């Protein structure tokens, strides 16, 4: 079974708000003896869907952005063993032992929950957002719609999911400009593709309907 190391920057480019990469502040702290986590990927997917493993490697040499280390895990299936020498670059490091100063941002992206319609996830598009009062610590109060849902769709709770806000930011992060707007508020995308606040939204009808 052949394998390679994933490029975390490419993965982060595809999902910038849900795939964590260590900050430059953390990477600059790395020294010999530190543990870093790498993503070992099989070149061909196995019949059972196995694609690889995330494993810790202890750094033994550093040359700029190039590293050598020894595997600090016992692989589940890959043809490697603990202690094997691994050569890798900074682009392969998906985690470290160090506290990351950007962790609060990532906590927000992962832990803040929104209600989203399945149509948004299918189309990867949303055009309407409203914020009700939250129902819990992680609940943001935001509900996010594509704008194409009909009344039958909206009346069926099975058509909605609770997900991390980072998934929505991967689709369109322009909403960061107003995501902290307090409840009750509603926003709609205009013909130019920008979100505008709806000042006359009928909250009485929404809350009592």
């Amino acid at each position: 079974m052949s394998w390679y190391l994933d490029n975390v920057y490419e993965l982060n480019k595809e999902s910038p708000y849900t795939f964590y990469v260590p900050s430059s502040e953390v990477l600059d702290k790395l020294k010999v003896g530190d543990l870093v986590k790498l993503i070992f990927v099989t070149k061909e997917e196995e019949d059972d869907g196995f694609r690889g493993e995330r494993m810790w490697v202890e750094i033994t040499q550093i040359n700029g952005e190039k590293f050598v280390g020894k595997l600090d895990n016992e692989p589940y299936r890959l043809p490697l063993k603990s202690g094997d020498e691994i050569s890798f670059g900074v682009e392969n490091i998906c985690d470290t032992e160090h506290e990351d100063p950007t962790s609060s941002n990532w906590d927000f992206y992962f832990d803040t929950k929104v209600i989203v319609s399945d149509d948004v996830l299918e189309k990867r598009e949303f055009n309407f957002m409203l914020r009700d009062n939250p129902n819990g610590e992680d609940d943001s109060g935001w509900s996010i719609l594509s704008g194409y849902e009909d009344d039958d769709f909206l009346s069926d709770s099975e058509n909605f999911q609770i997900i991390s806000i980072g998934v929505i930011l991967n689709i369109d992060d322009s909403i960061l400009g107003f995501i902290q707007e307090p409840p009750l508020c509603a926003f709609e995308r205009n013909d130019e593709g920008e979100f505008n606040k709806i000042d006359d939204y009928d909250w009485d009808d929404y809350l009592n309907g």
Side-chain angles (χ1 to χ4, degrees), residues 34-190:
D34 283 353
L35 291 173
V36 292
K37 187 172 284 187
L38 314 179
I39 306 174
F40 296 75
V41 184
T42 57
K43 291 188 176 179
E44 294 184 4
E45 183 174 350
E46 298 294 293
D47 291 340
D48 60 1
F50 178 79
R51 285 303 309 273
E53 306 173 54
R54 294 187 181 214
M55 294 188 285
W56 291 102
V57 172
E58 180 183 340
I59 298 172
T60 56
Q61 297 178 42
I62 301 176
N63 183 16
E65 294 189 343
K66 298 299 181 183
F67 300 79
V68 177
K70 58 181 180 181
L71 191 61
D72 196 56
N73 287 125
E74 199 62 57
Y76 170 66
R77 194 183 300 181
L78 289 167
L80 295 164
K81 62 184 184 298
S82 182
D84 279 354
E85 185 174 275
I86 307 293
S87 297
F88 59 98
V90 68
E91 72 277 4
N92 304 125
I93 299 172
C94 70
D95 204 359
T96 76
E97 297 179 288
H98 296 288
E99 180 70 24
D100 197 324
T102 68
S103 61
S104 61
N105 292 336
W106 288 99
D107 289 344
F108 174 76
Y109 303 148
F110 288 125
D111 297 340
T112 303
K113 304 302 182 184
V114 298
I115 298 173
V116 60
S117 83
D118 289 340
D119 199 47
V120 169
L121 299 177
E122 181 178 340
K123 290 183 169 68
R124 291 191 61 79
E125 175 187 350
F126 59 95
N127 299 293
F128 180 78
M129 301 174 61
L130 63 82
R131 191 176 197 184
D132 199 349
N133 291 303
N135 290 317
E137 183 178 352
D138 294 333
D139 176 25
S140 68
W142 284 108
S143 295
I144 300 174
L145 304 172
S146 69
Y148 302 112
E149 301 92 345
D150 58 25
D151 289 341
D152 288 340
F153 184 100
L154 294 171
S155 64
D156 187 351
S157 62
E158 293 296 318
N159 292 325
F160 294 84
Q161 300 182 39
I162 298 174
I163 63 172
S164 296
I165 199 168
V167 176
I168 294 301
L169 291 170
N170 285 339
I171 299 173
D172 181 357
D173 63 2
S174 68
I175 64 173
L176 282 170
F178 60 84
I179 203 67
Q180 300 296 351
E181 185 83 9
L184 301 164
C185 64
F187 290 80
E188 189 170 32
R189 198 186 296 272
N190 63 24

